[in-house]
Amino acid sequence: MKRFLRAARDRLLAPAAALTLTAAALSVGALTAAAPAATAATATTSAAVTVDTTHWLANYSSTTPGLNTQVYDANMNRSDIPGLLSNAGVGMMRYPGGSYADIYHWQTNTADGGFVAPNTDFDSFMGTVRAAHAQPIITADYGSGTPQEAADWVRYANITKGYGVKYWEIGNEIPGNGEYGAQWETDKHSSHSATTYANNLLQFISAMKAVDPSIKIGAVLTTPGSWPDGIVGPGDTMDWNHTVLSIAGPKIDFVIVHHYPSSTSEADLLTKPQAQVPDMAATVRSLINQYAGSNAPNVGIAITETAPDRDKDTAPNALFTPDQMLTWAENGAFTVDYWAMHNGTDCSQVTTVDGATDYGDGGVLSSGASCEPAVDTPFAPYYGISMISKLAQSGDSLIQTSSSTSLISAHAVHRGNGDVNVMLINKDPNNSTTVSLSYKGFTPSSAAPTVYTYQKNGTSITSSTSGTATTQTVPAYSVVVVQMHPSSGGSTGALHAVGSGKCLDINNSSTTAGTQAQIWDCNGGTAQTLTRTSAKEFRLYANTSTPMCLDDYGNGTTNGTAAVIWQCNGGANQQWNVNSNGTISNVLTGLCLDVNGFGTANGTKVQLWTCGSNQSNQQWTFG
């Protein structure tokens, strides 16, 4: 399916239609017939899942689960919304809404030719975002706006109001501006080429960062492998992604991709996260590495729109949504924003899917259409997103898992306190599955784990202490999260310095208190093997008669204080927080573990320093 067809989802709506948010009725995915209702569970199958705490994939951020909202959504800022968002763990809210972003003028709260609902202005939106303890990601008007208009928005948001809006996109789906033959996106520039967008993007960056240099600005890319990826437009010598990044790559802070997988059945839909995301992410990262120069390690990936093309409100989407979000996060995305918080339906596509009513509504919350339950009633994907909050919190490390069957997806995190949590997604609509869990680098406590379950067609998440850390029965079409504490031994691995590709090391495997840590080629030796304990310690030689802890020497509070080994004493100067941006900060001082002078040579010393912004010499992975 050509990707541009689904863009009708958020095209301009007549005011009467916008009041009920009928954009979902325009979605190509909504035209796909729902599968017949599944039969009841008839058997229990088996599977094996391995969780490898020594293989650290990425750092989980609170911004990972995100939602889109739109200025034509009259329910955007209802009083119950902050609680619903907070309870689900939604950490990012995108505004002002898809293609509307390219006709929306924030100062007047108007959209050229479009409908804007009452009380959806920027300040009202920010009130909801702050009450929900989330972050905003704002799409500046590229299509009908100017760099000055965007800079004025930054000034109002961050200087006048002090909102601290960090993430800014420049336009929405700009390749849909007619350059490649299809047009849904407003673009009033005289040229619609990738070259024009890239050069204008540089002007936006210059104007906006002149107001607030701390903000992060993203560039719109096409979805790898989807239209119009690979097509060279008039006036360009390369396709959109290569052109934009070749011009603006060294100046941007993140890239923007939208991912709407098309599917032929429920079962096919549920394969998409594993089948598509790793290759897409690798392609995007390769482009960044090719064009962003020395800034490449600091350029993030934002999936600012994603959703399934079918079964939007029912059981399959409760499985797809957390699988999609976590797979993108494991492959480097710092946010994955679902379309949408509310989206609506025209009630003409109501079907039955797996024994539940599907309204064809692309929102995670009901818009209260005549055929739907009361406004803000959660649909199945809301609970899928909520299960992510049972798995991970900001600063946790996403770690590698493997499953013996494609019908069981597994995701896991290694928490900053040494705990390990595992999510199991059973894609079999008929059969429960007994999952045998094994671990590398982690020994679970013998205590019963805490288990959270969202079952097919459920209206709540339940908790129990069922099963064990090594055996869990996952009901048909359900999501289960298992939370485990480590045994007294903790979890083991090495600290990998991102900037150098080397490992934290103790010279000559010394056990002398006060020996300063260094970096060295990773070799798996005892001087590079650390145990992360529930007390937030990093212990070396943990299983010997002389265990040592990574220590802030002398309780130092100044930049350059040595990171050393010392006899473990339980002090705050020996406790470390693992942060979502990859830094490791000392609990006592807040200073970050730092490789001196951005060094990459063997023997470069490790110290403590004021935490910077995306500095690769302060970023680490544990595994």
Side-chain angles (χ1 to χ4, degrees):
M1 182 196 312
K2 286 187 177 180
R3 180 175 170 276
F4 69 85
L5 293 177
R6 57 134 296 269
R9 167 194 46 69
D10 57 2
R11 291 189 59 159
L12 310 189
L13 307 175
L19 289 172
T20 55
L21 304 178
T22 60
L26 300 176
S27 168
V28 172
L31 302 179
T32 306
T39 57
T42 57
T44 300
T45 61
S46 62
V49 167
T50 300
V51 179
D52 186 355
T53 65
T54 70
H55 192 146
W56 199 347
L57 300 175
N59 293 297
Y60 180 83
S61 170
S62 62
T63 59
T64 295
L67 288 176
N68 279 266
T69 194
Q70 313 88 276
V71 291
Y72 53 82
D73 176 10
N75 298 315
M76 178 199 300
N77 298 308
R78 283 168 52 91
S79 61
D80 59 338
I81 293 298
L84 285 163
L85 299 179
S86 180
N87 290 340
V90 173
M92 186 77 91
M93 290 296 295
R94 184 174 182 245
Y95 177 94
S99 293
Y100 257 65
D102 283 312
I103 59 169
Y104 179 72
H105 303 287
W106 70 273
Q107 290 162 314
T108 57
N109 192 36
T110 58
D112 297 342
F115 171 78
V116 175
N119 302 314
T120 61
D121 59 274
F122 176 61
D123 285 314
S124 297
F125 165 76
M126 283 304 304
T128 296
V129 168
R130 299 181 95 183
H133 306 292
Q135 288 192 54
I137 183 166
I138 302 299
T139 311
D141 181 356
Y142 174 83
S144 62
T146 64
Q148 187 60 54
E149 182 182 30
D152 289 343
W153 200 349
V154 173
R155 180 176 292 103
Y156 179 78
N158 293 354
I159 308 302
T160 303
K161 301 295 289 190
Y163 289 146
V165 178
K166 183 176 181 180
Y167 297 105
W168 298 80
E169 301 176 83
I170 309 304
N172 173 78
E173 298 185 355
I174 303 303
N177 60 8
E179 182 70 359
Y180 301 96
Q183 183 165 5
W184 65 85
E185 202 71 22
T186 297
D187 185 352
K188 295 184 177 181
H189 297 90
S190 58
S191 167
H192 294 170
S193 70
T195 299
T196 298
Y197 172 73
N199 286 325
N200 286 333
L201 172 61
L202 293 177
Q203 294 182 35
F204 273 81
I205 292 171
S206 177
M208 295 165 74
K209 289 201 172 186
V211 176
D212 183 352
S214 71
I215 63 173
K216 305 296 182 184
I217 296 180
V220 173
L221 299 187
T222 63
T223 306
S226 296
W227 182 96
D229 186 36
I231 300 174
V232 178
D236 293 323
T237 59
M238 296 184 289
D239 68 4
W240 183 275
N241 289 351
H242 286 84
T243 300
V244 169
L245 290 178
S246 68
I247 295 170
K251 295 293 185 178
I252 62 174
D253 300 295
F254 62 97
V255 297
I256 301 150
V257 173
H258 290 177
H259 183 205
Y260 287 92
S262 59
S263 61
T264 58
S265 65
E266 290 180 33
D268 184 47
L269 170 67
L270 297 180
T271 68
K272 297 305 179 181
Q274 284 74 42
Q276 294 185 349
V277 170
D279 287 344
M280 284 184 178
T283 297
V284 172
R285 181 51 62 186
S286 177
L287 286 165
I288 292 169
N289 290 340
Q290 180 178 357
Y291 291 114
S294 61
N295 190 44
N298 302 322
V299 176
I301 299 173
I303 311 303
T304 59
E305 289 186 25
T306 192
D309 64 343
R310 57 180 299 118
D311 311 324
K312 295 177 180 294
D313 312 317
T314 45
N317 202 7
L319 312 184
F320 168 82
T321 300
D323 208 12
Q324 174 83 339
M325 287 185 169
L326 289 168
T327 303
W328 267 113
E330 289 161 354
N331 284 274
F334 67 86
T335 190
V336 187
D337 305 332
Y338 188 90
W339 186 278
M341 181 167 70
H342 300 105
N343 195 67
T345 180
D346 61 6
C347 294
S348 67
Q349 301 165 57
V350 178
T351 57
T352 299
V353 177
D354 296 302
T357 303
D358 194 292
Y359 305 95
D361 187 330
V364 301
L365 301 174
S366 171
S367 295
S370 60
C371 60
E372 292 187 321
V375 64
D376 289 342
T377 299
F379 291 136
Y382 173 87
Y383 294 108
I385 294 171
S386 299
M387 288 298 286
I388 298 176
S389 70
K390 307 301 182 187
L391 176 77
Q393 301 294 320
S394 186
D396 293 347
S397 302
L398 291 156
I399 52 179
Q400 183 168 281
T401 63
S402 60
S403 174
S404 63
T405 171
S406 61
L407 289 177
I408 294 288
S409 280
H411 304 276
V413 298
H414 191 186
R415 306 215 59 210
N417 62 1
D419 289 356
V420 167
N421 297 341
V422 181
M423 176 182 285
L424 303 169
I425 301 173
N426 185 358
K427 303 176 186 179
D428 188 331
N430 301 319
N431 302 304
S432 60
T433 301
T434 298
V435 178
S436 298
L437 290 154
S438 60
Y439 305 91
K440 182 179 180 181
F442 175 77
T443 303
S445 166
S446 59
T450 300
V451 179
Y452 290 91
T453 303
Y454 177 71
Q455 296 205 48
K456 182 170 73 172
N457 300 336
T459 57
S460 65
I461 294 170
T462 62
S463 64
S464 68
T465 54
S466 58
T468 68
T470 56
T471 304
Q472 286 290 324
T473 297
V474 186
Y477 252 30
S478 71
V479 184
V480 165
V481 171
V482 187
Q483 298 180 343
M484 292 159 289
H485 300 302
S487 68
S488 58
S491 305
T492 60
L495 276 176
H496 300 264
V498 171
S500 65
K502 300 182 186 295
C503 283
L504 186 139
D505 177 275
I506 305 302
N507 189 37
N508 292 325
S509 300
S510 173
T511 59
T512 302
T515 302
Q516 187 170 2
Q518 61 184 12
I519 57 169
W520 201 271
D521 293 332
C522 299
N523 55 37
T526 57
Q528 296 181 359
T529 302
L530 296 95
T531 298
R532 178 69 167 154
T533 73
S534 59
K536 296 188 175 184
E537 300 165 323
F538 282 111
R539 291 193 173 207
L540 288 101
Y541 321 123
N543 297 320
T544 71
S545 59
T546 56
M548 307 293 284
C549 278
L550 191 63
D551 179 287
D552 165 23
Y553 184 68
N555 295 336
T557 59
T558 59
N559 287 340
T561 298
V564 303
I565 57 171
W566 202 270
Q567 291 87 356
C568 299
N569 56 34
N573 66 317
Q574 295 184 351
Q575 297 173 1
W576 305 87
N577 290 319
V578 179
N579 305 309
S580 61
N581 61 357
T583 61
I584 295 176
S585 55
N586 187 262
V587 169
L588 176 68
T589 67
L591 299 176
C592 276
L593 210 58
D594 177 287
V595 177
N596 183 36
F598 289 84
T600 60
N602 284 341
T604 303
K605 299 302 182 183
V606 177
Q607 60 190 5
L608 281 83
W609 203 272
T610 300
C611 299
S613 177
N614 294 322
Q615 294 180 190
S616 62
N617 70 319
Q618 293 186 350
Q619 293 176 323
W620 305 81
T621 61
F622 179 62

